[in-house]
Amino acid sequence: MFSLLFVSLLLADVALRLWLATRQLRHVHRHRNQVPPAFAERISLRSHQRAADYTLGLTRLGMLERVTEAATLVGFTLLGGLQMLDLQLGRLIDHEMARQLALIGSVLAIMGVIGLPFTLWRKFVLDERFGFNRMRLGLFLADSVKALFLVLIFGTPLAASVLWLMSAAGVAWVLYAWLIWVGFRLLILWLFPSIIAPLFNRFTPLDRPELRERVEALARRCDFSLDGLYVMDGSRRSAHGNAYFTGFGRQRRIVFFDTLLSRLNTDEVEAVLAHELGHYKLHHIRQRTLLDAALALVFLLLLAGLSGQIWFYTGLGVVPQLGRPNDALALLLFFMTLPVFTFWLAPLLAWRSRRDEYAADRYAVQHSSGAALASALIGLYDDNAATLTPDPLYSAFHDTHPPAVARLQALRHDH
Ligand SMILES: [Zn+2]
């Protein structure tokens, strides 16, 4: 019964995503030869067609990736992959904790290897063709080694402590594991600007006095205490531009990608930053963190309930071994299959995120300039080859940002 439910939901999930993607392909293709009127002044037909072709390429790759992920999931569960792996590792490793950590590590490694061709294709074929990729294979390998190292030094103690709690802390393990998870997220947030990000990029203080003055004035107007303004060498990897906040408490910094500063003028940079400040001042960041923490608690409670049920394992193709901990199996099965049961949450979260984007835009209009923000957005859509004409249903399901035309319309309406 549970197997049947799982398979039906997985098929429904894949079918829905593929259907939405084909709608997106058709819609973007159909609007490929006309720039929407609101953008006609700034975006040439050639750029618009380039954005359409880039979107078509990304969407097709995404479809293939989704099907591969679903097949991998079925391979691990109903086809017995996880069961086999667990038995093999059980023969090789005597130590219970080591065996369970090895199981989690192997599954993550296998999924990483299966996902690798998609990442490589996206960067070195698609992005390369459209001129976004600035990375050579050497830098990609160096990045991957560093990321792997980070996963090992942060992930191993996290997984080990959760596994230990599951076996030793009785029913209260959920609460302890949740506290560890929340603490872990805060630790990463705290270490990110000073330790993690500098492993990948160089940060230099912003040295454009006129822009610095404008940003500091904006921060004063918005009553935002600022610890530093930095420029990041994003151009080492990609031509896509961005800006973000990092750190919390009193050590808040603003980081600009050099690619953003090279494309936008001072007014536009100020407006983009006002939008980002809006997210902060309207508590979007805090709300999102709290929502994540609440969802984590719900999921852990659910996991605690399911991990004691035989049908949860057998329904997903695994026969739990009696007389030894099956906690790693429970964790893996739960978090691998969770997206299948919660895929209907995705459009809700996307809708929430789009609502926050509109609110941050309104904040930017009030504290900076709506015209400059509109101009910056048009420039960024153009530079990033983001489609201006997504399929409405596809966009409603997936997009964390409002579609270009609607967003610009709202901006014009606000100022
Ligand atoms: Zn935003």
Side-chain angles (χ1 to χ4, degrees), residues 35-251:
V35 186
F39 297 87
E41 256 175 46
R42 287 272 307 273
I43 293 184
S44 67
L45 182 62
R46 259 191 68 193
S47 284
H48 179 66
Q49 289 176 331
R50 172 170 172 265
D53 296 338
Y54 185 53
T55 307
L56 294 175
L58 282 177
T59 310
R60 286 197 194 102
L61 185 64
M63 291 168 83
L64 197 59
E65 191 171 16
R66 186 64 205 131
V67 172
T68 310
E69 280 169 7
T72 309
L73 185 57
V74 173
F76 268 125
T77 56
L78 300 181
L79 297 180
L82 202 54
Q83 168 86 359
M84 204 174 70
L85 205 57
D86 187 39
L87 287 176
Q88 289 299 331
L89 288 171
R91 273 185 213 125
L92 291 172
I93 306 172
D94 276 335
H95 191 275
E96 283 304 336
M97 180 58 83
R99 177 183 61 80
Q100 298 205 77
L101 288 174
L103 180 63
I104 294 178
S106 329
V107 170
L108 292 182
I110 292 170
M111 296 206 311
V113 168
I114 292 173
L116 188 62
F118 294 98
T119 310
L120 290 173
W121 188 272
R122 195 171 291 124
K123 253 183 215 313
F124 294 104
V125 179
L126 262 182
D127 278 8
E128 188 76 43
R129 189 184 303 153
F130 288 89
F132 290 127
N133 183 39
R134 299 268 176 85
M135 242 178 167
R136 298 274 66 86
L137 205 57
L139 181 59
F140 179 81
L141 286 177
D143 279 1
S144 308
V145 169
K146 286 181 209 167
L148 191 65
F149 172 72
L150 285 173
V151 169
L152 283 175
I153 60 165
F154 286 109
T156 314
L158 178 72
S161 49
V162 171
L163 287 172
W164 180 78
L165 284 168
M166 287 176 85
S167 67
V171 281
W173 79 261
V174 171
L175 190 64
Y176 296 131
W178 182 67
L179 288 174
I180 286 184
W181 171 246
V182 171
F184 175 77
R185 292 282 304 264
L186 288 176
L187 178 74
I188 297 291
L189 216 59
W190 181 58
L191 292 180
F192 186 80
S194 51
I195 310 273
I196 299 174
L199 287 176
F200 296 91
N201 282 99
R202 271 187 34 178
F203 294 82
T204 43
L206 177 67
D207 65 352
R208 279 164 48 176
E210 86 292 2
L211 181 59
R212 191 169 252 286
E213 264 165 43
R214 288 284 293 278
V215 171
E216 281 164 358
L218 173 73
R220 274 195 301 277
R221 273 204 307 284
C222 300
D223 193 24
F224 180 87
S225 65
L226 197 59
D227 180 53
L229 291 168
Y230 292 87
V231 180
M232 188 189 104
D233 57 346
S235 56
R236 278 182 72 200
R237 294 189 176 78
S238 150
H240 291 299
N242 209 345
Y244 69 89
F245 284 115
T246 156
F248 58 118
R250 241 176 298 159
Q251 45 146 223

Side-chain angles (χ1 to χ4, degrees), residues 275-276 279 357 360 401 407:
H275 168 97
E276 295 302 328
H279 281 307
E357 292 304 327
H401 286 65
R407 193 166 174 193

Side-chain angles (χ1 to χ4, degrees), residues 15-34:
L16 177 70
R17 283 171 199 272
L18 292 183
W19 176 69
L20 286 171
T22 52
R23 282 185 59 107
Q24 171 83 335
L25 292 177
R26 267 207 312 272
H27 198 92
V28 170
H29 190 75
R30 202 180 310 132
H31 293 85
R32 188 177 176 278
N33 289 322
Q34 207 202 343

Side-chain angles (χ1 to χ4, degrees), residues 201-365:
N201 282 99
R202 271 187 34 178
F203 294 82
T204 43
L206 177 67
D207 65 352
R208 279 164 48 176
E210 86 292 2
L211 181 59
R212 191 169 252 286
E213 264 165 43
R214 288 284 293 278
V215 171
E216 281 164 358
L218 173 73
R220 274 195 301 277
R221 273 204 307 284
C222 300
D223 193 24
F224 180 87
S225 65
L226 197 59
D227 180 53
L229 291 168
Y230 292 87
V231 180
M232 188 189 104
D233 57 346
S235 56
R236 278 182 72 200
R237 294 189 176 78
S238 150
H240 291 299
N242 209 345
Y244 69 89
F245 284 115
T246 156
F248 58 118
R250 241 176 298 159
Q251 45 146 223
R252 283 182 304 214
R253 332 174 142 177
I254 291 171
V255 175
F256 298 104
F257 283 40
D258 54 357
T259 36
L260 184 88
L261 293 185
S262 66
R263 303 292 173 85
L264 301 185
N265 65 34
T266 306
D267 290 340
E268 292 170 334
V269 172
E270 185 203 274
V272 167
L273 206 55
H275 168 97
E276 295 302 328
L277 270 171
H279 281 307
Y280 184 83
K281 280 285 162 182
L282 300 167
H283 307 300
H284 295 160
I285 298 169
R286 188 189 304 167
Q287 283 166 8
R288 231 166 277 176
T289 312
L290 288 176
L291 182 69
D292 282 353
L295 280 176
L297 184 60
V298 172
F299 291 150
L300 284 173
L301 284 168
L302 207 59
L303 168 60
L306 290 171
S307 63
Q309 310 294 326
I310 291 286
W311 56 260
F312 172 66
Y313 301 87
T314 53
L316 294 173
V318 173
V319 184
Q321 309 264 311
L322 298 174
R324 52 153 237 218
N326 291 294
D327 301 322
L329 275 177
L331 271 177
L332 283 168
L333 284 177
F334 184 78
F335 285 107
M336 283 165 79
T337 57
L338 185 65
V340 176
F341 294 94
T342 56
F343 80 99
W344 49 271
L345 268 177
L348 285 179
L349 293 174
W351 168 81
R352 209 188 124 86
S353 165
R354 290 195 300 272
R355 191 197 59 183
D356 289 352
E357 292 304 327
Y358 282 122
D361 280 354
R362 281 196 296 277
Y363 185 91
V365 170

